[in-house]
DNA sequence: TATCTAGGTGATACTGTGTCTCATATGGAT
DNA sequence: ATCCATATGAGACACAGTATCACCTAGATA
């Protein structure tokens, strides 16, 4: 679980990041940050909208989407595409990494891509492709869930 | 470029595959197959709908989606998620592989994942995750496009 | 070849995301 | 305390994808 958005000390990172990019620290943004931090694993926009409406009735639908976009552009949230094709979001740290998503409980584990760089380089070499970006999503059972149902 | 859906001899594979799964070979399905095969690189559902309406006016919107779904389940088409978040489809062969998508011309090159297996295994070992599926999308410039603008 | 029927189709309405516009409100700089 | 660029909320909107349902047809069978 990522803790970058936690309230208290952790929120400093968010504040600093917003500030650095010239964005204001507003009530709705803090509220969304807390909701995201409170979520375990990935969540859909719809789920967050429900949360938001409960936590702060009157918060605008558009604002939630805008905030999600903003956080995504700052690297605090990442969008993932579930196997079924749905879009979801995951809280995460703003460094390059990937997500291993548990198809049973939905939690996601951050994973760095040691080794993947070499694979991509090899692919590029072989196909003449000059790779500028990649997306890797991993699905399976987390250790807890695979222990439960072996 | 994949050619699995080409008309003529290539269509046999589609026919065989539909047949094997107990699906009928219908006019609309053939039409969509040809449109998909005619497309270079990835395409959105909207683009294919335009094509379909031009090639065979009167073809139902729902039918195009249904056919796309069917082909996807047969492995003849794959859904990809562009960096911008849009959904798109790519023609491909029904064997496990990935797509290197050119962000300039949109063409996609099939890429097998030699080496990725090891990376995933290592990830699984380290995180206790038992990996059952993965999705890798690669973005960059194809050899033609990177030659053009170096 | 004529018949039969499960499976497929098209029209249409609908749901659900995500976006846009615009009048109003507010963070934070001065 | 004032000011204004930025953010917000309301609501309309655009678009992807799905559901329903009466009708149609591929292809199996006799
Ligand atoms: Zn992450
Ligand atoms: Zn789990
Ligand atoms: Zn290209
Ligand atoms: Zn693979």
């Amino acid at each position: 679980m990522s803790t970058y958005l936690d309230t208290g000390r952790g929120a400093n990172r968010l504040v600093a990041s917003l500030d650095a990019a010239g964005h204001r620290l507003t009530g709705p943004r803090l509220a969304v940050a807390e909701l995201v931090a409170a979520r375990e694993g990935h969540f859909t926009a719809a789920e967050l909208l429900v949360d938001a409406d409960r936590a702060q009735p009157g918060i605008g639908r558009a604002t939630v989407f805008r905030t999600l976009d903003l956080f995504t552009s700052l690297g605090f949230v990442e969008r993932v595409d579930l196997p079924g094709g749905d879009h979801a979001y995951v809280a995460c740290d703003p460094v390059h990494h990937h997500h291993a998503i548990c198809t049973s409980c939905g939690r996601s584990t951050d994973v760095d891509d040691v080794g993947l760089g070499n694979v991509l380089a090899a692919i590029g070499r072989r196909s003449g492709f000059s790779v500028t970006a990649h997306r890797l999503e991993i699905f399976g059972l987390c250790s807890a869930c695979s222990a439960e149902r072996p």
Side-chain angles (χ1 to χ4, degrees), chain A:
Chain A
M1 278 284 78
S2 174
T3 57
Y4 58 90
L5 279 176
D6 286 355
T7 42
R9 293 208 63 254
N12 293 338
R13 259 202 269 183
L14 173 64
V15 175
S17 185
L18 282 175
D19 206 60
H23 299 289
R24 291 189 191 157
L25 178 60
T26 66
R29 282 176 183 165
L30 259 183
V32 171
E34 280 168 25
L35 294 174
V36 168
R39 276 265 160 202
E40 303 242 321
H42 60 75
F43 55 89
T44 63
E47 290 168 335
L48 203 68
L49 283 167
V50 172
D51 288 3
D53 203 55
R54 182 155 34 219
Q56 180 171 327
I59 191 168
R61 169 188 177 62
T63 297
V64 175
F65 276 104
R66 283 188 286 235
T67 305
L68 235 25
D69 281 355
L70 176 63
F71 287 0
T72 300
S73 77
L74 294 176
F76 286 127
V77 162
E78 203 164 296
R79 203 165 166 173
V80 297
D81 295 285
L82 271 18
D86 289 341
H87 286 163
Y89 300 83
V90 208
C92 65
D93 291 306
V95 294
H96 180 81
H97 64 277
H98 302 285
H99 297 123
I101 297 176
C102 178
T103 49
S104 170
C105 68
R107 284 193 179 76
S108 104
T109 307
D110 283 10
V111 149
D112 62 23
D113 55 6
V114 276
L116 182 59
N118 293 333
V119 173
L120 292 176
I123 286 172
R125 239 177 287 120
R126 236 180 311 141
S127 59
F129 215 88
S130 96
V131 177
T132 56
H134 66 274
R135 170 203 305 236
L136 172 65
E137 281 156 21
I138 300 167
F139 303 97
L141 290 177
C142 71
S143 48
C145 288
S146 56
E148 258 175 41
R149 40 152 113 172

